[in-house]
Amino acid sequence: MAYFTNFQDYLFLCSDLSSEEKQKLDNYLWILECSGVSRIIAETVTKSIEKGGRPSHNPFRLFSAILFAFSKHSGSLRRIEDSIRFDTRFMYLMEQKVPSYSTISRFCNNIVVARQREIFSCIMKEIVRKYNIDISEVFIDGTKLEANANKYKFVWKPRKKHDKLNEGRRSIISAYFHLPPGKKEFISKEVAQFLSMLKQKITDRNIPIVSGSGHRQTQIVEDYHSLEKMLLKTLQYEEIEAICGTERNSYYKTDKDATAMCLKTDYYSGLGSNMHAAYSLQIVVSKGLILDYLVSRDRSDSKTFIPLFDNYHADYGSFPEKLCADSGYGSLDNYRYMAAEGIENYVKPQIWQKMVRGEYIDLYNFDEEQNLICLNGRKAVKLDSYGTHSRGKGTKFYHIENCNECKFKPYCMRCVADKERQDRVFEVCYELYEFKKQAVQNLLSPKGSDEKVSIMSVLSVCSFVWDITSANYFLFLKEKEKQITGLPQLILSQKFQRKLI
């Protein structure tokens, strides 16, 4: 059954479209028809029988009009309504029906947001199939979108304060009750139990519980009041940590899904140093087509890489053959992920820009037996530890002695605090070193040169996404993260729709 391409016959048409414009709109509707979006919309639309009132608008045509509106202008609700009322192209799509802005808003929230990932993937896959686009080579990049939250309303996760509070609670509780030797943390339920037991001890001793100035308190009563205050603080800290979760360290009081981030453009100081409530938007691009996206609360691009490509695999059923990205995604976990899934690595290491300018020289390399060789050709001794713990994943310490006569010492010691020391210790992850070496070889190859030229496609698309977000598209769906992800589905779809219509 046709949902998007069936038309109602009219005796007199209010729209006057040229044959060329009508053909473009018919092609656009045919893509939506073949994509399977109609099945998703039909499953989501609630069918209720009401007595009286006007019949509901065609949800399929309304969706096509909303998506078309995002490809032509800012996509605000009232502007979409005006376009449907006065623009002949929208009249053709809506069959001369004019929904109100509130109807459009309810449709976006109830249908587009509820099934946004399925709708986006269906449309993109149909475009790839219809135009036979090769998506074996992809590029990724991201930006940060400011949320609609008040200034300076962020709350930080109280890690150090919670640790200090645990020390105070332990000192009080251990004075009256036996605790296991390794017991350092207390949850609110345990604190409440110890507080109740402490109150029972005070009652058994017939000691009055008094508070305020002018009352003489014994030590046990003072400890009871202190533990009572600590219980309230414990409940407060646990609530903050539950909202933050394990993936972030902050949230905003007016938008608890937003995270405090530094934006690329800081309109407060211009330095990008002030914190703003924001979300991270990551996109996957191939041949100028945005294939997938991810709206995340994580401030780091590297941590969004794996969830982004898990979504990509779920949508397209396979991974790309080649992947090019900037140095923000060059972490050990991401390199391992690409190697496990058979993705050819074109992710730039963090020292790429210095390498291109000729400002960076490797201080060491590895031989075939995985021995570290310094810049002077000396073999390092591998150490299990060197007075500190390993800061990176899978790192090991390599020690080189008697560096006083080395001609490369000034360059080698430039990052060391003690310039007069006679030895040098490197903390290196061999696996990460090999991944970066392979990435550099791929980028310097003839194919890598083509990839670096093609990455301008990503930069143009990202600048496009950045420009459209400055027009406050996200104002009417700002309350929850699950609602915010609905609008990128419309916004990112329009980049390719503009090429078709």
Side-chain angles (χ1 to χ4, degrees):
M1 178 180 178
Y3 293 93
F4 290 95
T5 56
N6 58 342
F7 289 88
Q8 182 177 352
D9 294 329
Y10 290 92
L11 184 60
F12 299 101
L13 291 177
C14 297
S15 61
D16 184 15
L17 284 175
S18 64
S19 58
E20 181 182 358
E21 193 71 26
K22 185 177 179 181
Q23 182 63 36
K24 290 181 180 179
L25 293 175
D26 289 340
N27 291 338
Y28 163 63
L29 293 174
W30 183 251
I31 290 176
L32 295 181
E33 188 72 65
C34 297
S35 65
V37 176
S38 56
R39 174 188 56 81
I40 300 173
I41 296 176
E43 292 176 358
T44 311
V45 172
T46 56
K47 299 180 179 179
S48 59
I49 302 176
E50 299 178 354
K51 293 183 179 180
R54 295 180 299 177
S56 60
H57 294 282
N58 187 336
F60 311 102
R61 288 308 187 92
L62 183 57
F63 175 78
S64 65
I66 293 173
L67 187 59
F68 186 77
F70 271 86
S71 68
K72 295 303 178 184
H73 52 67
S74 64
S76 66
L77 296 177
R78 293 184 184 273
R79 191 167 180 183
I80 294 175
E81 181 185 3
D82 291 340
S83 299
I84 295 174
R85 189 181 301 274
F86 301 111
D87 194 323
T88 56
R89 296 170 298 180
F90 288 87
M91 292 180 186
Y92 181 79
L93 291 175
M94 282 299 299
E95 295 183 310
Q96 304 183 34
K97 302 295 193 302
V98 183
S100 64
Y101 71 92
S102 58
T103 302
I104 299 172
S105 176
R106 285 194 299 270
F107 183 87
C108 288
N109 284 284
N110 297 333
I111 296 179
V112 176
V113 173
R115 307 288 293 273
Q116 45 92 15
R117 285 218 62 88
E118 297 174 73
I119 292 174
F120 181 82
S121 63
C122 284
I123 296 174
M124 293 299 107
K125 285 189 288 188
E126 176 59 25
I127 292 174
V128 171
R129 185 198 64 81
K130 181 177 178 61
Y131 294 93
N132 195 22
I133 300 173
D134 181 15
I135 58 173
S136 60
E137 301 175 1
V138 301
F139 311 86
I140 62 171
D141 205 350
T143 188
K144 292 180 174 60
L145 309 177
E146 186 174 6
N148 189 20
N150 291 342
K151 180 181 177 182
Y152 301 140
K153 293 292 184 180
F154 52 84
V155 180
W156 294 105
K157 184 184 289 187
R159 288 181 176 178
K160 293 185 178 180
K161 291 182 179 180
H162 209 162
D163 292 340
K164 187 176 181 180
L165 185 64
N166 281 325
E167 294 176 2
R169 287 179 299 199
R170 179 177 174 79
S171 63
I172 293 176
I173 295 173
S174 61
Y176 302 97
F177 306 99
H178 174 71
L179 293 175
K183 183 68 173 177
K184 295 182 179 179
E185 297 182 358
F186 301 87
I187 61 175
S188 57
K189 184 177 180 180
E190 294 174 337
V191 177
Q193 291 175 351
F194 283 118
L195 185 66
S196 177
M197 294 165 60
L198 185 59
K199 184 178 181 180
Q200 185 63 40
K201 278 194 173 186
I202 296 174
T203 304
D204 294 342
R205 297 180 186 181
N206 295 323
I207 300 175
I209 300 177
V210 294
S211 61
S213 60
H215 298 281
R216 190 181 186 89
Q217 298 179 354
T218 59
Q219 184 63 41
I220 189 173
V221 175
E222 290 183 2
D223 291 340
Y224 173 80
H225 289 307
S226 299
L227 193 60
E228 192 175 29
K229 294 178 181 179
M230 290 180 180
L231 175 59
L232 297 178
K233 278 293 182 183
T234 303
L235 292 171
Q236 178 185 352
Y237 291 165
E238 287 181 353
E239 181 183 5
I240 294 174
E241 291 174 349
I243 295 174
C244 287
T246 59
E247 300 177 353
R248 57 181 183 154
N249 298 323
S250 62
Y251 70 91
Y252 272 71
K253 295 179 181 178
T254 51
D255 188 352
K256 294 183 179 180
D257 289 321
T259 307
M261 303 181 187
C262 292
L263 303 181
K264 295 181 179 179
T265 301
D266 190 350
Y267 49 81
Y268 293 145
S269 64
L271 303 176
S273 57
N274 289 343
M275 291 294 180
H276 301 261
Y279 294 88
S280 174
L281 174 62
Q282 307 292 324
I283 58 175
V284 181
V285 182
S286 180
K287 303 296 188 297
L289 172 65
I290 299 175
L291 300 177
D292 217 323
Y293 69 95
L294 175 69
V295 178
S296 172
R297 300 182 298 181
D298 207 310
R299 296 187 297 174
S300 173
D301 288 342
S302 63
K303 294 182 180 180
T304 61
F305 181 92
I306 296 177
L308 176 62
F309 277 94
D310 285 341
N311 291 342
Y312 181 93
H313 183 267
D315 291 339
Y316 296 93
S318 62
F319 290 97
E321 297 178 5
K322 300 181 179 64
L323 189 150
C324 187
D326 59 25
S327 58
Y329 302 91
S331 66
L332 179 59
D333 289 337
N334 295 342
Y335 283 130
R336 286 174 175 172
Y337 184 85
M338 287 187 287
E341 304 299 342
I343 304 174
E344 195 169 345
N345 175 17
Y346 289 88
V347 179
K348 294 183 292 186
Q350 295 180 354
I351 45 90
W352 173 254
Q353 292 299 330
K354 290 185 177 181
M355 292 178 61
V356 172
R357 295 194 298 264
E359 300 175 359
Y360 181 83
I361 301 176
D362 280 331
L363 298 178
Y364 55 83
N365 55 60
F366 286 87
D367 59 13
E368 296 179 354
E369 298 178 356
Q370 299 185 11
N371 296 316
L372 186 142
I373 308 299
C374 75
L375 195 59
N376 198 27
R378 300 179 57 192
K379 184 185 295 186
V381 178
K382 189 183 298 184
L383 303 178
D384 294 332
S385 62
Y386 189 73
T388 182
H389 64 281
S390 297
R391 291 187 292 271
K393 293 183 179 180
T395 59
K396 296 181 180 179
F397 293 100
Y398 297 87
H399 186 215
I400 298 177
E401 297 179 339
N402 302 323
C403 299
N404 192 33
E405 301 298 330
C406 179
K407 59 183 177 180
F408 299 107
K409 182 179 179 181
Y411 179 79
C412 186
M413 294 289 186
R414 71 190 190 283
C415 300
V416 180
D418 185 7
K419 309 294 183 184
E420 303 300 327
R421 63 183 301 170
Q422 305 299 318
D423 61 343
R424 184 73 160 90
V425 177
F426 297 98
E427 184 182 1
V428 183
C429 176
Y430 175 76
E431 185 180 9
L432 181 60
Y433 174 85
E434 287 296 318
F435 281 134
K436 290 182 177 181
K437 182 179 177 181
Q438 182 62 44
V440 171
Q441 291 177 356
N442 292 339
L443 289 167
L444 294 178
S445 65
K447 182 60 180 176
S449 299
D450 296 338
E451 296 288 336
K452 287 181 286 183
V453 172
S454 299
I455 200 171
M456 295 306 297
S457 167
V458 181
L459 299 178
S460 64
V461 172
C462 289
S463 63
F464 160 79
V465 174
W466 177 254
D467 289 340
I468 60 177
T469 53
S470 64
N472 294 328
Y473 283 115
F474 290 79
L475 287 182
F476 74 98
L477 291 178
K478 273 294 181 60
E479 294 300 325
K480 298 294 180 183
E481 183 189 9
K482 64 179 181 179
Q483 293 177 325
I484 289 177
T485 55
L487 270 177
Q489 182 261 315
L490 295 174
I491 294 172
L492 300 182
S493 298
Q494 67 166 293
K495 176 65 178 177
F496 197 77
Q497 295 290 345
R498 285 181 175 176
K499 300 180 180 181
L500 300 179
I501 306 171

